[in-house]
């Protein structure tokens, strides 16, 4: 029987030189629309090269959380940090 061929898989290059620091860090993130709380005290640390999927029922805040991390809307409170830099700092540097 012939030897099987295994593809080589390389890890992606991390966003930061410090591999132990998260590439994306969310802490105590809150977002509401009117009286409706959409994102309630979310903490999430994503390591460099880590793949994360958000799963939940319709209306559970998946798209809102994604939009906040992408910088497409303001948070009500909490921290979003990408590659060691606060998202609000990155936004202010664009203007």
């Amino acid at each position: 029987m012939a030897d099987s061929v295994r593809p080589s898989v390389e890890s992606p290059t991390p966003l930061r030189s410090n591999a132990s620091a998260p590439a994306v860090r969310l802490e105590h993130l809150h977002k509401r629309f009117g009286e409706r709380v959409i994102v309630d005290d979310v903490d999430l640390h994503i390591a460099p090269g880590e793949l994360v999927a958000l799963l939940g029922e319709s209306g559970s805040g998946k798209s809102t959380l994604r939009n906040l991390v992408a910088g497409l809307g303001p948070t009500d409170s909490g921290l979003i940090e990408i590659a060691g830099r606060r998202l609000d700092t990155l936004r202010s540097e664009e203007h």
Side-chain angles (χ1 to χ4, degrees):
M1 177 167 23
D3 291 329
S4 63
V5 176
R6 293 182 185 223
S8 123
V9 178
E10 296 181 26
S11 297
T13 304
L15 294 174
R16 297 181 80 178
S17 59
N18 182 354
S20 65
V24 176
R25 182 171 68 125
L26 311 178
E27 292 191 354
H28 305 292
L29 202 60
H30 294 268
K31 179 65 181 179
R32 53 182 354 160
F33 293 107
E35 294 298 314
R36 185 163 183 214
V37 176
I38 306 299
V39 176
D40 188 19
D41 199 27
V42 171
D43 289 315
L44 176 66
H45 293 192
I46 303 173
E50 186 174 23
L51 179 64
V52 174
L54 298 173
L55 304 175
E57 62 186 46
S58 179
S60 64
K62 301 175 304 291
S63 296
T64 300
L65 184 60
R66 180 204 59 212
N67 290 342
L68 294 172
V69 172
L72 299 177
T75 64
D76 291 335
S77 64
L79 169 80
I80 300 175
E81 189 177 87
I82 300 174
R85 299 184 64 196
R86 288 180 57 123
L87 187 59
D88 55 353
T89 304
L90 294 174
R91 281 192 199 130
S92 64
E93 290 175 2
E94 293 175 355
H95 299 342

